[in-house]
Amino acid sequence: MKNEKIRLAIEKKLNGLVEANRGLHNAYLLIHSDKYNIHWNMAAGQTGNMSAHAGQPYHTASIGKAFTSVIIAMLAEQGKLNYQDPIDRYLSADIIQDLHVYRGKDYSHQIQIKHLVNHTSGLPDFYEDKPRQGKHFLELILDEPARFWTPAETIQWTKEHYKTRFAVGQGFHYSNTGYNLLGLIIEQVTSKPYQEVLHEYIFNPLGMRDSYLSQFSEPAIKSNYPVAHINANGREINIEDYRSFSSIYSGGQTVSTSEDLLLFMQALLENKLIQNKTLSSLQQWNKRWTGLDHGYGLMRVRMLPFITKYNAWGHLGSIGSFMLYNPVMDVHIIGNFNKTAYLGPAMRFVLGALRKISAIGH
């Protein structure tokens, strides 16, 4: 009875948030805990003229970086690469040329794989950084929906439109450019396209049947529901209609469901993909912003200062997507608000949900 009351309170809050915010077209939330014996999967709002459904696939945004990072970790465990390897060992001369020039010095050959994985390369971010001139990249994506971007083209675009941030290893700067480079490294090491590796290494073994790389692959089983629409800079769009989103590639172009993302997080915890010591190495946290730390393709959210019981790790996306695990309560909380620049409100909602769940144990 108590659990059901808490579930209804969280669901009411989710519905109320969507109803009160015209910019939120839909929202998805899955809460799972073996400890508390709960599995609550819910949705609110609409996609087009259809009501949102808890089993609906959605664009995961940067949550996809966790997949890329784990594939790199798997290849490292197999001895096929090393985090200390210079990236020029795996990438063409055209990609490396003028990749990282900072204050007149070329650092391109000093970049190691680890610098890309933990965002310490100093490379700019083609997706979120402000270019020297012209439109932000998201505006280009929205204004030129038919344009297909290869990862090499996004890297060339980065060279032409952005400045490097710092010398290699001398700071932190979140970089989608760096993760597209990791995708190319994965392709070189495996001799397969990134999307094939994604399915072969993660989606297929874990039974993530609804997951795929948008514009590049298909899910194992076609969903009964359309991909949830997102609010991108005030426009309600279906990313499946925008070939231009191909540009995000190995930085977070995956489509998935809450249930599939839960399978992934459970697999990490149960060492089905990588060893426990490898997972621990990915959790070498460095402070990024207040309340948010970054590791090797994973994030830790410190929900409240000086109170650790609500801390959770996993990954977030800029559209208010989240895939998090709270170890103190043994709670997975996964979902998406599908709105650009909605990460802050999304985390406030997650904290509120965790606070409600904490009452189960009392």
Side-chain angles (χ1 to χ4, degrees):
M1 181 67 76
K2 184 178 183 181
N3 286 11
E4 181 63 9
K5 198 172 179 181
I6 292 172
R7 183 191 71 79
L8 289 172
I10 293 173
E11 191 166 31
K12 182 180 179 180
K13 182 74 172 178
L14 186 70
N15 280 294
L17 196 60
V18 174
E19 290 171 5
N21 190 330
R22 291 181 60 189
L24 282 182
H25 302 298
N26 48 64
Y28 302 85
L29 179 68
L30 170 61
I31 298 172
H32 174 93
S33 174
D34 291 333
K35 179 180 178 180
Y36 296 135
N37 192 30
I38 59 174
H39 186 88
W40 303 333
N41 199 2
M42 56 191 79
Q46 292 184 304
T47 283
N49 297 319
M50 189 196 88
S51 295
H53 189 277
Q56 194 167 7
Y58 50 73
H59 178 46
T60 68
S62 284
I63 286 173
K65 287 183 175 68
F67 301 144
T68 300
S69 171
V70 167
I71 291 171
I72 290 290
M74 294 170 80
L75 294 173
E77 284 189 353
Q78 295 167 13
K80 294 180 178 177
L81 56 76
N82 191 294
Y83 282 96
Q84 284 70 45
D85 289 342
I87 65 172
D88 61 9
R89 184 176 299 177
Y90 303 97
L91 299 172
S92 69
D94 286 347
I95 292 289
I96 295 297
Q97 185 178 2
D98 298 327
L99 179 63
H100 190 308
V101 178
Y102 180 68
R103 294 183 176 176
K105 184 176 178 180
D106 193 335
Y107 291 90
S108 305
H109 297 276
Q110 295 183 26
I111 303 174
Q112 299 173 7
I113 289 176
K114 68 176 183 180
H115 296 130
L116 302 181
V117 180
N118 67 5
H119 300 288
T120 59
S121 67
L123 291 174
D125 177 6
F126 73 88
Y127 184 66
E128 293 188 351
D129 284 356
K130 183 179 180 180
R132 292 191 185 101
Q133 57 185 13
K135 299 177 181 179
H136 278 76
F137 200 84
L138 178 57
E139 295 177 57
L140 288 175
I141 288 175
L142 297 175
D143 291 346
E144 301 177 33
R147 178 170 180 176
F148 185 87
W149 289 82
T150 67
E153 286 173 335
T154 66
I155 292 154
Q156 184 59 37
W157 185 270
T158 302
K159 294 178 187 179
E160 294 173 0
H161 292 84
Y162 307 90
K163 292 181 179 180
T164 49
R165 310 293 294 212
F166 46 79
V168 175
Q170 298 303 305
F172 175 94
H173 184 69
Y174 192 81
S175 177
N176 282 280
T177 303
Y179 266 73
N180 275 2
L181 288 165
L182 288 172
L184 291 177
I185 290 170
I186 288 168
E187 292 189 344
Q188 177 64 28
V189 172
T190 62
S191 300
K192 296 177 181 179
Y194 170 77
Q195 63 269 23
E196 285 188 21
V197 180
L198 197 54
H199 284 266
E200 181 181 328
Y201 278 53
I202 297 179
F203 297 162
N204 295 345
L206 299 184
M208 296 172 66
R209 300 182 302 174
D210 291 306
S211 300
Y212 62 100
L213 190 68
S214 181
Q215 308 300 330
F216 291 92
S217 67
E218 298 291 334
I221 297 179
K222 185 170 176 58
S223 177
N224 293 323
Y225 311 101
V227 176
H229 292 181
I230 69 171
N231 180 339
N233 286 7
R235 308 186 203 181
E236 182 180 356
I237 69 164
N238 178 359
I239 65 159
E240 298 299 285
D241 296 334
Y242 283 71
R243 294 197 79 217
S244 49
F245 271 99
S246 57
S247 53
I248 312 303
Y249 198 55
S250 46
Q253 185 51 25
T254 45
V255 168
S256 195
T257 59
S258 297
E259 296 282 6
D260 273 8
L261 296 179
L262 175 62
L263 289 174
F264 174 74
M265 289 297 285
Q266 289 174 322
L268 283 184
L269 288 167
E270 295 165 10
N271 309 128
K272 291 180 178 178
L273 294 171
I274 54 176
Q275 300 171 27
N276 189 58
K277 65 178 182 180
T278 303
L279 177 59
S280 295
S281 72
L282 301 186
Q283 296 173 316
Q284 299 175 57
W285 308 119
N286 290 305
K287 187 173 181 180
R288 177 184 170 192
W289 299 319
T290 301
L292 185 60
D293 304 324
H294 214 285
Y296 280 57
L298 295 176
M299 294 176 173
R300 179 177 65 179
V301 184
R302 290 176 283 111
M303 296 289 180
L304 289 172
F306 314 117
I307 299 176
T308 60
K309 77 172 185 176
Y310 298 117
N311 288 358
W313 64 266
H315 214 288
L316 309 175
S318 62
I319 56 173
S321 55
F322 49 95
M323 176 184 70
L324 297 169
Y325 174 69
N326 173 275
V328 173
M329 292 185 283
D330 183 33
V331 170
H332 294 270
I333 185 161
I334 294 165
N336 198 348
F337 286 94
N338 280 311
K339 182 182 179 183
T340 51
Y342 203 75
L343 201 49
M347 288 305 95
R348 287 191 287 274
F349 179 89
V350 168
L351 173 60
L354 288 173
R355 281 176 145 166
K356 285 183 170 65
I357 294 164
S358 69
I360 293 175
H362 297 283

